[in-house]
Amino acid sequence: MTEVPLDGEVILCCYRAVNPYYYKYAVDGINVFAVNLLPLVLVTLVLGYVDSHNQLTSSPVKFTLALLSIMPLSYYIGMAIASISAQSNFAVGAVVNATFGSITELTFYITALIKGSREGNSCYAEIVKSALTGTLVGCVLFVPGLCMVIGGIRHQEQRFNSRSAGVSSALLFLSVGGVFAPTLFSKVYGKLVCGECHNVTQNPLGHYLCHNCHFDLMENNGTLYYSHVQPLVYTVSLLLPAAYLIGLFFTLKTHSHIYDIHISDCHMPGHHHSAVVHWSRWRALVILLLSTLCMSACADLATEHISPILTNSTISQYFIGVTVLAMVPELPEIVNGIQFALQNNLSLSIEIGNCIAVQVCMLQIPILVLFTIFYPTNFTLVFSDLHVYASMFSVVLMNYIFMDGKCDYFQ
C-alpha cells in the first residue's frame, strides 16, 4: 500500500495479463480478442488490394484472412447496433436491428451474386443458397446444441423459457414454410428432366436407369416459372418481412412480459431488458458505418478469391457454403451463447440462435429476391431437396427438444 498525492499518477503494470481468463478482458467495453484482431483487418485489406496479382500470398490465404477479418467486424457491428438500440425507442431500435442485424451475411451474398452474374457462373448462386441453408441449420441445431453441451458440463439440468421459445418456433415454422413454398410448388408441378438414361433390360419397353435428374423450370418449361413460381416468390418475399415486423412488435411491445421468467429461484429478465450502452449514439453510428465499409471490402475479397479454391480443390461448393461461409460470421454470437449457457441463462442462448434463423428466412432471403429485381442475377428461390429436408427436419427437431422447457447435455 502506497499513499499517492491527489495530483499524482499511478502506472499499473499487468505483467501477467496472459492467463486462462484472458478472454474476459475488455477494452472500453470491447472484448480483448476483437481489439487484437483489428490489425488483421488492415493486413487483409492491404494484401487484398495491393497484391492483386498474388505475388506475396496465394488466393487461399487471402480468402482465409478475409473470413477471419469478418469475425471482429461482425462483433463491432453487433456492439454498435446494441448501443444504438439501447438509446432509442422501440421503433428505431427495431428498424436498426432489422436493417443491420444481418448485414454481415447480406454483404457477402450480394457481392457473390454480383460476381457470379458478371462472370456468368451459376456456382455463386448455389454457394449463396448453401450458406443460407447452413446458417439456418446451424442456428437452429448447432448453436443451441453446443450451448446445451457446454452449459450441461457445469449445470446438471438447465431450464429455459418455453413460452419465448414457442414464439420463435412459430416464426420459424412460418418462415421455413414460406421460403420453401416455391420449391415445393416447383417439385409438384415442374417437369422432371433426366439425362444419361440406360436401358437395363435391353428391351424397348423395359426398365431404364437414369442419372442427373432435375426439375426443369427455365429452359423448356419457362411458362411455369414466370407465370406461377415467380409471382409466388415475390408474394412470399413481401409477406415474410411483414410477419417479422409483427413478431418484433409482439415480443418487444405488446407481449414483452413473456420474456420475464423465473429460473433456478432467481429472476432473469429477457434480452430486451438487459441492453447495455457501450458507446454514445454518434460514436456507435460512426463505428457501424466504418465496420460496414470494411465488411463490404472483406466480403469482396472473399468472393474474389473463392474461385481458385473451387476450381483447384476437391472441396465442393456446397460444403464450403454450408460450413465455412455459414458459420464463420456467426462466431461472435456462438461465443455469446456459450457464455450465457455457462451462466445458466440458456433461454438467451436459444433466443440468439432462433433470432438469427428467423432473420435469415424473413429478412435476408426476401432482400436477396428483391435485389434481383434491380440487379438481375441467376438467384432463384428454388432449393434442392437436401436443403429443404435438412431445414424442415431441423425446425421439427428443435420444437421437439424445446417442448418441455428443460434440457441437459444428452439432448
Side-chain angles (χ1 to χ4, degrees), residues 66-104:
L67 289 182
L68 292 177
S69 300
I70 287 176
M71 291 190 293
L73 292 174
S74 61
Y75 176 83
Y76 282 105
I77 290 175
M79 292 272 290
I81 292 173
S83 299
I84 295 175
S85 300
Q87 301 174 74
S88 307
N89 55 19
F90 160 74
V92 176
V95 171
V96 171
N97 182 67
T99 304
F100 292 95
S102 304
I103 198 167
T104 303

Side-chain angles (χ1 to χ4, degrees), residues 114-401:
I114 292 175
K115 184 175 176 58
S117 176
R118 290 175 178 175
E119 296 181 358
N121 191 351
S122 61
C123 291
Y124 288 94
E126 295 299 323
I127 290 175
V128 171
K129 292 180 184 179
S130 301
L132 290 169
T133 306
T135 305
L136 178 62
V137 175
C139 292
V140 172
L141 292 184
F142 180 71
V143 175
L146 189 64
C147 294
M148 288 179 191
V149 172
I150 297 178
I153 296 175
R154 180 176 297 181
H155 307 283
Q156 185 174 6
E157 185 179 80
Q158 291 185 294
R159 296 180 178 271
F160 53 87
N161 189 353
S162 58
R163 291 191 64 187
S164 63
V167 174
S168 300
S169 63
L171 281 175
L172 270 177
F173 261 120
L174 179 65
S175 59
V176 169
V179 165
F180 294 113
T183 303
L184 298 177
F185 183 88
S186 64
K187 299 299 181 187
V188 174
Y189 295 102
K191 182 180 179 181
L192 185 64
V193 178
C194 294
E196 301 179 8
C197 294
H198 303 284
N199 194 340
V200 180
T201 60
Q202 302 298 327
N203 186 356
L205 300 178
H207 296 284
Y208 284 83
L209 181 64
C210 299
H211 301 280
N212 299 329
C213 296
H214 65 279
F215 285 91
D216 183 18
L217 291 176
M218 301 295 292
E219 296 177 2
N220 302 318
N221 201 19
T223 305
L224 173 67
Y225 179 79
Y226 291 109
S227 300
H228 301 284
V229 178
Q230 195 175 57
L232 179 61
V233 170
Y234 291 153
T235 303
V236 166
S237 301
L238 293 176
L239 290 179
L240 287 179
Y244 180 77
L245 294 178
I246 295 173
L248 278 180
F249 188 76
F250 176 84
T251 56
L252 300 180
K253 192 70 174 178
T254 60
H255 288 67
S256 59
H257 58 276
I258 67 175
Y259 288 91
D260 294 331
I261 55 179
H262 294 268
I263 295 179
S264 303
D265 299 328
C266 63
H267 181 70
M268 301 178 68
H271 65 279
H272 61 283
H273 291 295
S274 56
V276 179
V277 180
H278 300 284
W279 305 314
S280 64
R281 187 176 300 174
W282 284 106
R283 182 181 180 185
L285 183 60
V286 172
I287 293 177
L288 180 61
L289 295 177
L290 290 177
S291 301
T292 303
L293 291 176
C294 293
M295 180 74 69
S296 302
C298 292
D300 179 64
L301 291 175
T303 55
E304 185 70 26
H305 295 282
I306 196 175
S307 298
I309 298 177
L310 295 176
T311 56
N312 299 328
S313 66
T314 57
I315 302 176
S316 67
Q317 57 193 11
Y318 301 103
F319 181 80
I320 294 178
V322 169
T323 57
V324 179
L325 301 181
M327 299 312 297
V328 167
E330 309 299 339
L331 281 179
E333 285 78 10
I334 295 175
V335 174
N336 290 334
I338 293 173
Q339 290 180 348
F340 292 132
L342 290 175
Q343 298 169 5
N344 203 19
N345 190 359
L346 192 63
S347 288
L348 201 50
S349 302
I350 294 172
E351 199 65 28
I352 289 175
N354 287 345
C355 286
I356 297 174
V358 168
Q359 281 192 351
V360 168
C361 294
M362 291 191 163
L363 284 182
Q364 294 183 19
I365 293 178
I367 288 175
L368 292 178
V369 171
L370 297 176
F371 175 76
T372 57
I373 299 177
F374 303 99
Y375 191 95
T377 62
N378 50 6
F379 179 79
T380 57
L381 199 63
V382 178
F383 294 84
S384 65
D385 293 343
L386 186 59
H387 293 168
V388 177
Y389 298 148
S391 302
M392 290 187 173
F393 175 76
S394 301
V395 176
V396 172
L397 183 61
M398 183 269 292
N399 280 272
Y400 175 75
I401 292 178

